[in-house]
Amino acid sequence: MNLHELVAVVSGGASGLGEATARSISERGGKVVLVDRDRQKGTALAEQIGSQAIFCEADVTSEQDIRSMLDRAYEVFGRVNALVNCAGVVIGEKVVGRDQVHDFVSFKKVMDVNVMGTFNMIRLISEKMQQNEPNALGERGVIINTSSIAAFDGQIGQAAYSASKGAVASMTLPISRELARYGIRVMAIAPGLFETPMFEQLPESAREALGQQTPFPKRLGQPAEFAQLVLSIVENTMLNGEVIRLDGAIRMQPK
Ligand SMILES: NC(=O)c1ccc[n+]([C@@H]2O[C@H](COP(=O)([O-])OP(=O)(O)OC[C@H]3O[C@@H](n4cnc5c(N)ncnc54)[C@H](O)[C@@H]3O)[C@@H](O)[C@H]2O)c1
C-alpha cells in the first residue's frame, strides 16, 4: 500500500513506538489517528504533526470509545485503511513471590489491555476496512500488531506480559487468514528492547546491561527503527500472517 494513500489508526500513538510510527507515517504523506488514553501527550503530538493528524482520547478496551473514535476519523479523513496496535502495558511480577503470590487483578489487567484491547481494535476497525474500495493491488487495509520477544523468551516475572504478547502473536495468523478475502493483511512485530518511556521504568544500569546483551547492534533499539519496519510492512504487499522479530538477535535469558 502506498504511504500517500494511508489513513492509519495508531493505538498507543501518544508515546514511544506508537509516537514514532505516527511521526514517520505523517512525514511520508500519510494521515494518522492517534488513539491513546493520555490526553495531554496525544493532543500535543497531534498539534505538532498538524493537519495530517487527529488525536482521539480512547481506551482500547472500550467498544464505545473505539466506535466514537472511528466516527471522528471518518468525519475528518473519510476512511481508515491501516491499524497499528501499539497500546500496551507491562508488569514484572513473580508467580510465587517472597511475600505474596502473583496478584490476579494485575494479571487480568495486562491481558485486558494487551490482548482484549488489541482484539477490540482489530474487530471494530476491520469491520470498516472491509468496506473500503480496493486499491490497484486489491488491498483494502493492513493491520500491524505489536507482540514482543517476551512472547518467545519471556523472563522470570513476565508470566502475564509474555502470555499477553504470545496471544497477540498467535492471533495474527488466523485473523490474516480470515481477512485475506477482503484484501486486508495482518502482521505482527515482536520488538526486542526499545528505548521508550515504557522501558525507562528500568534503572539506567539495567538498560545499559540489556543493551550490551544484544549481539548486534550492542544497544537498545530506537523507536524510529520500529517505525521503519511498520512502513516496510505497509508498502510490501507480500508480507502477511507473520510475526517479525526486530531485536538485533537478542535471546532473553531466564532473568
Ligand atoms: N519498549 C520496548 O522495549 C518494547 C518491547 C517489546 C514490545 N513492546 C510493546 O510495544 C508497545 C508500545 O510500547 P512502548 O514501549 O512504546 O510503551 P509506552 O508506554 O511508551 O507507550 C504505550 C502507550 O500506550 C498507551 N496505552 C496504554 N494502555 C492503553 C489503553 N488501555 N488504551 C489506550 N492507550 C493505552 C499509553 O498511554 C502509552 O501512551 C507495547 O505494546 C509494548 O508492550 C515494547
Side-chain angles (χ1 to χ4, degrees), residues 4-5 60 113 207:
H4 285 284
E5 60 181 301
V60 290
V113 177
R207 284 187 274 147

Side-chain angles (χ1 to χ4, degrees), residues 12 15-17 36-38 58-60 86-89 113 146-148 161 165 191-194 196-199:
S15 174
L17 305 183
D36 207 292
R37 56 183 184 191
D38 189 331
D59 186 321
V60 290
C86 283
V89 290
V113 177
T146 308
S147 177
S148 165
Y161 187 67
K165 292 300 179 176
L193 312 166
F194 278 69
T196 68
M198 180 183 274
F199 205 74

